[in-house]
Amino acid sequence: EVQLVESGGNMVQPGGSLRLSCVASGFTFSNYDMTWVRQAPGKEPEWVAKINSNGGRIVYRDFVKGRFTISRDNAKNTLYLQMSSLKPEDTALYHCAREEDLNRYGLGDEHAYWGQGTQVTVSS
């Protein structure tokens, strides 16, 4: 069974940093492009950063460029999101997802997500 277990979320002050992790199991992680998606209360989910299967191609949304870094360790079946210079508007539930599932079901469909997500709250 596919599992994606996100962790690392916390409450931090503006300007702070966090590192999110996503441990994958139940499938061959190194074969899949991966994406971090976030959803703030009352808002539509939005993708934040994408990385291809070998880590050679990375794409960021403009609103996180220069602040967030996506990476992966295929030997550890783990996806990361290093977040710095956090802003209150970064507050959201963060999910990792397989790009294939997002393409199949869409960002707003629960079937695209195999984990519970990890909460990031940026507040003074």
Side-chain angles (χ1 to χ4, degrees):
E1 180 182 344
V2 173
Q3 287 191 332
L4 294 170
V5 180
E6 302 96 338
S7 64
N10 209 331
M11 178 179 288
V12 295
Q13 293 186 341
S17 298
L18 285 174
R19 188 197 199 199
L20 306 185
S21 298
C22 166
V23 178
S25 61
F27 65 101
T28 304
F29 178 70
S30 59
N31 287 349
Y32 285 80
D33 298 351
M34 299 294 294
T35 299
W36 282 100
V37 177
R38 72 185 186 185
Q39 185 166 19
K43 294 188 177 181
E44 294 294 313
E46 56 187 2
W47 69 267
V48 171
K50 298 176 182 283
I51 187 168
N52 75 334
S53 58
N54 67 9
R57 187 177 72 247
I58 289 172
V59 183
Y60 296 101
R61 296 295 296 276
D62 285 347
F63 51 76
V64 302
K65 277 183 182 177
R67 301 189 300 121
F68 290 11
T69 302
I70 188 172
S71 62
R72 66 191 296 161
D73 185 337
N74 285 344
K76 295 182 178 180
N77 291 340
T78 303
L79 178 72
Y80 301 101
L81 186 67
Q82 178 68 48
M83 305 187 295
S84 61
S85 301
L86 283 162
K87 305 175 181 180
E89 51 264 44
D90 294 318
T91 295
L93 182 65
Y94 284 72
H95 277 98
C96 62
R98 302 187 306 183
E99 185 68 14
E100 175 180 295
D101 294 321
L102 293 175
N103 290 337
R104 178 178 298 158
Y105 297 110
L107 285 173
D109 192 319
E110 62 180 5
H111 294 95
Y113 305 103
W114 296 93
Q116 297 301 308
T118 188
Q119 178 67 39
V120 172
T121 302
V122 185
S123 175
S124 55

